[in-house]
Amino acid sequence: MKQMGMDTYEDKFKVALDVWKEAQVQQRTFNDLLFRIRNIAFVFAGVAVGGVGTLISKDTGLSVPGYLLIFASIPWVSLYLLDRYYYHLLLMAAVRVSEEIEAKFFSQHNIPPLSQYITKFNRDKPIPIPFINAKTGREKVTFFYALPLMTSLGVGFYFIYKNLFASVLVSLAVGGVLLFLEKSSYKKNDD
């Protein structure tokens, strides 16, 4: 049975272009949501650090600020999970739709594959920190949340237990677990 309006390649291209345009709108929407989530995370972190500073200045001892830093990590992890495992996946789905349309139609019309260029550029620019090889968007998001989380937990444990070695160990263990889970959660070619 013949579909109405989809007889020629040009008709298919017009529909694909409309879908591509909608995918671009969705990408902007998800990027905006992700930036808002990350803004909330930084505001929350700033409030927690301000609370710790206030508690230290009032000479409450270091254990109370330590507990505050540890408990402040709970909403931080919640925001990470929302960012990385919900909205980031939706963003990547919109990017994949764009890339598939670009691969199928754009080269035949001499249109630059914008989404493909952005993905390649992002992967070609890893975070320039030794031992951190975060290339994909998902790895960079995890690093974005892991570093403050590791710091907060490490300093919090130090304030409570006054043991630098244990604090560093906790901090590195948390970071190692996050990065291991991130690296093992998807195939190599996923973003």
Side-chain angles (χ1 to χ4, degrees):
M1 178 180 222
K2 196 175 191 181
Q3 288 182 328
M4 299 289 290
M6 294 293 285
D7 297 340
T8 67
Y9 174 83
E10 289 304 316
D11 291 334
K12 291 177 184 177
F13 177 71
K14 287 177 186 174
V15 170
L17 190 58
D18 287 341
V19 171
W20 182 85
K21 288 176 184 177
E22 181 58 32
Q24 298 300 307
V25 169
Q26 294 304 316
Q27 287 177 45
R28 281 191 294 277
T29 300
F30 293 133
N31 269 322
D32 183 51
L33 287 168
L34 289 167
F35 278 110
R36 289 177 190 206
I37 290 169
R38 292 169 192 163
N39 188 39
I40 291 168
F42 271 118
V43 167
F44 185 79
V47 169
V49 168
V52 167
T54 301
L55 289 170
I56 289 172
S57 72
K58 293 189 183 254
D59 200 26
T60 60
L62 290 179
S63 63
V64 174
Y67 286 114
L68 176 62
L69 284 173
I70 290 171
F71 286 118
S73 66
I74 295 169
W76 185 264
V77 170
S78 299
L79 290 169
Y80 163 70
L81 294 173
L82 181 65
D83 182 333
R84 170 61 187 89
Y85 291 100
Y86 187 70
Y87 286 112
H88 187 76
L89 294 177
L90 294 173
L91 171 63
M92 291 316 306
V95 168
R96 290 280 151 67
V97 167
S98 294
E99 289 178 338
E100 287 176 17
I101 292 170
E102 290 170 1
K104 187 170 184 174
F105 292 102
F106 281 27
S107 62
Q108 297 172 17
H109 292 273
N110 294 324
I111 301 171
L114 180 64
S115 296
Q116 293 175 20
Y117 286 161
I118 292 170
T119 298
K120 182 183 178 329
F121 183 79
N122 183 33
R123 287 188 178 155
D124 288 346
K125 303 292 181 195
I127 295 175
I129 297 176
F131 309 111
I132 303 296
N133 191 24
K135 289 184 177 181
T136 65
R138 65 183 172 85
E139 292 168 348
K140 290 175 182 178
V141 167
T142 297
F143 183 75
F144 171 83
Y145 284 98
L147 192 59
L149 178 64
M150 291 167 56
T151 304
S152 177
L153 291 175
V155 172
F157 272 87
Y158 180 76
F159 282 175
I160 295 168
Y161 299 108
K162 313 289 188 281
N163 185 329
L164 183 61
F165 178 74
S167 300
V168 170
L169 197 59
V170 164
S171 191
L172 291 176
V174 167
V177 166
L178 281 174
L179 294 176
F180 172 77
L181 291 173
E182 187 57 49
K183 292 281 186 182
S184 64
S185 65
Y186 288 93
K187 295 180 259 176
K188 292 275 187 205
N189 62 349
D190 283 344
D191 192 61

